[in-house]
Amino acid sequence: MIPFIDLATQQIRIKPEIDAAIQRVLAHGQYIMGPEVGLLEQALKDFSGSQHCITVSNGTDALIAALMAYDIGPGDAVITTPFTFFATVEAIMVLGATPVFADIDPRTLNICPNQIESTVREVHSQNKLQLRGIIPVDLFGLCADYSRINAIAEQHGLFVIQDAAQAFGASTPDGQKAPTHGHVGTTSFFPAKPLGGYGDGGAIFTDNDDIADKIQSIRIHGQGVDKYDNARIGLNARLDTIQAAVLLEKLKIYSEELDLRQKVAERYSQQMDMIVDSTGQQVIQRQHIPGGHRSAWAQFVILGPHRERIATALKTNDFPSVVYYRTPAQLLKACQGLTQQNNLPVSEAISSRILALPFHPYLNQDSLDHIVETIKSVNVNTCD
Ligand SMILES: *Cc1c(COP(=O)(O)O)cnc(C)c1O
């Protein structure tokens, strides 16, 4: 079976560099906040164009620390998308605040600005919670609609925290890179993300000096002048030096890998669009990438009828596929206590139709063709 995400090919490619980087850490022995951590933060700033970068233990802690920098807690509401990995919602809830969901756009699969506007009105009119901010997610690597989201946030005095766990280095038509589109941006270095380490990791980006200072403090037990001078309640949320060393090497080939991801996605897209039924109608839909956007392609997803049959056919041919996300957040057990009774039909409909295909920068043409042929056989040979 080919891997859903192939991390081995990349490892073979840069193994000598990774080995040497790890050996350097073992030699200097500064496992916590060693020199590689600062070097990685500088390299991530250079790559993204952000003023500040604070690396952290994972993408979830990145969101929690960012929310803590805005003193988010009980009584506060934060608008987010229901169609995301649970961590986005969890970060809000673990601080005692209330996530309020705004439904997604059926084409981009990202949070819909019109829905944000109506959700803002709803929260304001209920007058129970203090609305503080918005966390858009750049789903599967595609940036959300920040020109509209930032305008709505500005109008209502809300912060925007960009959850770019799946989209580090994705760009909008103006060339700006994720995660620099909001007041604060976060990403994850979980191994399967576009820029993944060999363990957990994450980072926070901002141009705001005060927020950056607060997050630096929160990362290390709310430290003041040092970690025994505690100025606030914080976390133990540092990135390991070994992970920073690994990520420094992976970052060196990341631009090239983003190009490779783009090429694989283009091949997939062209072939998917050519799958038509007997009336010439396109059978398979895919995530719409608006003009000028460049996705980081964390996943390549299709939306079509017969999802389970496609998954089964792929499996029979030794191709894995995964459903992201089978259950939108509002239907998760962990969210049942939420008072919000929003109708979120788009996220529910998409959850029942979506399927992620094997995808990574090194997916070869042969495998890709075979995957497409398999999908074609399901749709062309069935008549319901
Ligand atoms: C992976 C992910 C996270 C959490 O990142 P971790 O590093 O696994 O904690 C948060 N949000 C989204 C959208 C993700 O995909």
Side-chain angles (χ1 to χ4, degrees):
M1 195 172 232
I2 73 152
F4 183 68
I5 293 177
D6 179 1
L7 298 175
T9 303
Q10 181 205 51
Q11 186 184 94
I12 290 165
R13 195 180 151 189
I14 54 172
K15 190 156 194 322
E17 290 83 355
I18 299 251
D19 283 345
I22 292 172
Q23 288 306 321
R24 281 195 297 275
V25 177
L26 297 186
H28 69 55
Q30 296 174 58
Y31 305 122
I32 302 291
M33 297 305 283
E36 285 82 358
V37 173
L39 291 173
L40 177 65
E41 289 173 344
Q42 185 59 52
L44 291 169
K45 276 196 285 185
D46 293 345
F47 192 99
S48 64
S50 181
Q51 294 288 312
H52 302 278
C53 169
I54 303 113
T55 55
V56 289
S57 36
N58 56 66
T60 310
D61 284 348
L63 288 165
I64 294 171
L67 288 167
M68 286 171 78
Y70 284 101
D71 296 309
I72 291 302
D76 291 332
V78 178
I79 293 176
T80 192
T81 167
F83 197 59
T84 179
F85 179 57
F86 182 57
T88 318
V89 179
E90 188 181 29
I92 300 166
M93 293 177 82
V94 80
L95 294 173
T98 303
V100 186
F101 301 118
D103 212 353
I104 56 171
D105 178 304
R107 299 182 70 212
T108 65
L109 312 179
N110 279 328
I111 195 166
C112 169
N114 293 339
Q115 295 294 324
I116 293 177
E117 277 179 330
S118 57
T119 306
V120 168
R121 281 196 298 273
E122 205 174 292
V123 177
H124 282 161
S125 73
Q126 285 178 356
N127 204 22
K128 283 191 204 131
L129 297 165
Q130 169 125 28
L131 186 57
R132 300 288 309 280
I134 307 168
I135 308 184
V137 174
D138 302 338
L139 202 70
F140 307 136
L142 173 68
C143 286
D145 185 352
Y146 289 100
S147 47
R148 286 201 55 205
I149 293 169
N150 288 342
I152 297 166
E154 167 111 43
Q155 190 192 340
H156 297 284
L158 306 173
F159 63 72
V160 174
I161 297 175
Q162 176 176 17
D163 181 351
Q166 305 178 4
F168 182 73
S171 57
T172 38
D174 54 6
Q176 201 176 329
K177 280 186 185 149
T180 65
H181 296 91
H183 298 102
V184 180
T186 65
T187 198
S188 164
F189 304 127
F190 183 83
K193 309 283 177 173
L195 180 59
Y198 289 147
D200 278 311
I204 306 169
F205 299 80
T206 185
D207 286 347
N208 182 316
D209 298 342
D210 292 335
I211 293 287
D213 283 348
K214 268 185 148 178
I215 291 171
Q216 295 269 10
S217 163
I218 289 164
R219 169 172 65 174
I220 307 182
H221 303 288
Q223 71 175 17
V225 291
D226 61 43
K227 76 169 163 177
Y228 304 105
D229 170 44
N230 308 90
R232 57 173 61 77
I233 292 173
L235 303 166
N236 174 2
R238 294 170 296 233
L239 179 71
D240 291 342
T241 309
I242 285 195
Q243 290 308 328
V246 168
L247 286 161
L248 270 168
E249 296 309 318
K250 291 198 176 204
L251 188 58
K252 287 180 190 159
I253 57 164
Y254 190 59
S255 274
E256 191 196 326
E257 287 192 334
L258 283 176
D259 290 344
L260 292 172
R261 284 176 183 276
Q262 178 65 24
K263 288 208 181 87
V264 174
E266 277 168 14
R267 279 196 209 121
Y268 254 140
S269 303
Q270 279 162 6
Q271 303 221 43
M272 290 300 157
D273 293 355
M274 279 159 45
I275 302 179
V276 290
D277 66 13
S278 55
T279 68
Q281 259 323 88
Q282 228 170 276
V283 177
I284 304 286
Q285 280 126 53
R286 50 190 173 81
Q287 184 181 24
H288 173 65
I289 311 294
H293 275 258
R294 196 162 148 153
S295 175
W297 296 106
Q299 305 290 346
F300 187 89
V301 296
I302 58 170
L303 296 156
H306 323 313
R307 171 177 73 191
E308 308 307 329
R309 264 193 273 160
I310 291 174
T312 306
L314 287 170
K315 201 170 163 197
T316 309
N317 287 278
D318 278 351
F319 293 115
S321 62
V322 182
V323 174
Y324 296 118
Y325 294 96
R326 199 173 283 279
T327 311
Q330 73 276 13
L331 300 179
L332 291 170
K333 192 173 170 204
C335 293
Q336 290 321 290
L338 296 176
T339 48
Q340 184 208 17
Q341 297 296 324
N342 248 8
N343 199 12
L344 303 157
V346 183
S347 60
E348 289 178 31
I350 296 289
S351 315
S352 67
R353 297 175 57 224
I354 199 158
L355 188 69
L357 302 181
F359 191 91
H360 54 84
Y362 306 100
L363 186 70
N364 64 42
Q365 180 83 54
D366 236 35
S367 303
L368 193 149
D369 288 346
H370 199 156
I371 291 165
V372 175
E373 284 310 313
T374 307
I375 294 171
K376 222 183 254 180
S377 71
V378 174
N379 286 289
V380 171
N381 300 332
T382 48
C383 40
D384 57 331

